[in-house]
Amino acid sequence: MAVITELIDAGLQMKRQGNLRGAIEHFRQLQATYPGNARIRFELAGAWRAFDVPEQALPLYRELLALPKSQGLPPKDMPRLYTHLGVTLLEMGEIDEARATIEAGLRLHPSYRPLRAWRILSLSRSGARDLALLDALELMLESLAPSRWDIFEGDIVAAVRQMRDELSADESLTPATREDASAPAAAAPDAPKTAADTSAISERETQPIEVADEADAPAEVDVAVTVVKPAAESRKRARRVSRKQTKEPAPQLGKRAVRIDIVDESTAGKAPRQSSDDDPPAQAASFKIPIDPD
């Protein structure tokens, strides 16, 4: 056993001197010679981490954590294993798993300060900055001598407890309540539209409108156009005399006019009735339009 300890110390010495390649090769040879030694595997993973290759260290740490107590690291080294595994996961961007690993280690080793410090970092990276602040304040309060806080120590402790109680109350809300509280307020009806809204509306307006085949066809209306003779010359003279008396300007009418008759479906197929100017319109929607001479 003493020989294995000396060999491990030799590899750690190479690591401290910055010879990381040599340390990795040294521990790999030791692992091949003593495959069941958990400490060699742990130090090999640490050498890979120091060499900035956490992908090689992660499976080694996971294997160590899965080992039974009789084959794993001694109890005094288990807090270090949780810390190294959590830090490796953080380095690889696995924030949620890193936080879960660190908190699992703290449940077993609540007084291990490196784990508490990395929990603060994992909370901050996961977005729980208020909890990270509370952990940092509590760790700071425990790290400094009480005399350094003077009369304000009690106030700070009380403020931390109140803040933690408030956060605990927020976490007790149901998911639906939290979604309602965090949902943005609906825009007011008269709120000005943004450029994105205007672009979306323009895109919708330019899209083709589909018409279903089953849609009801609109009611058909027949329009009959009839060319009729202008009024008698005597009536024209009478109207000219009347306009002169009233000083009304005479309209510039041609010698012909177009009469338009709008006929509904009940009269469809019937030719419009020819009539003189004295007759009433052939239908209620008939009217005449003068045609200018060529």
Side-chain angles (χ1 to χ4, degrees), residues 224 259-263 272 280-288:
R259 189 176 93 181
I260 298 178
D261 299 331
I262 300 178
V263 184
Q283 299 295 333
S286 297
F287 57 93
K288 296 179 181 179

Side-chain angles (χ1 to χ4, degrees), residues 166-186:
E166 292 174 354
L167 289 176
S168 299
D170 291 341
E171 291 178 353
S172 66
L173 294 175
T174 61
T177 307
R178 284 198 296 269
E179 290 176 2
D180 293 342
S182 60

Side-chain angles (χ1 to χ4, degrees), residues 103-125:
E103 290 180 347
L106 280 174
R107 285 192 292 270
L108 298 173
H109 312 280
S111 61
Y112 193 66
R113 289 189 175 180
L115 267 177
R116 296 180 63 183
W118 281 107
R119 181 177 185 267
I120 294 171
L121 294 174
S122 67
L123 288 171
S124 177
R125 293 185 186 182

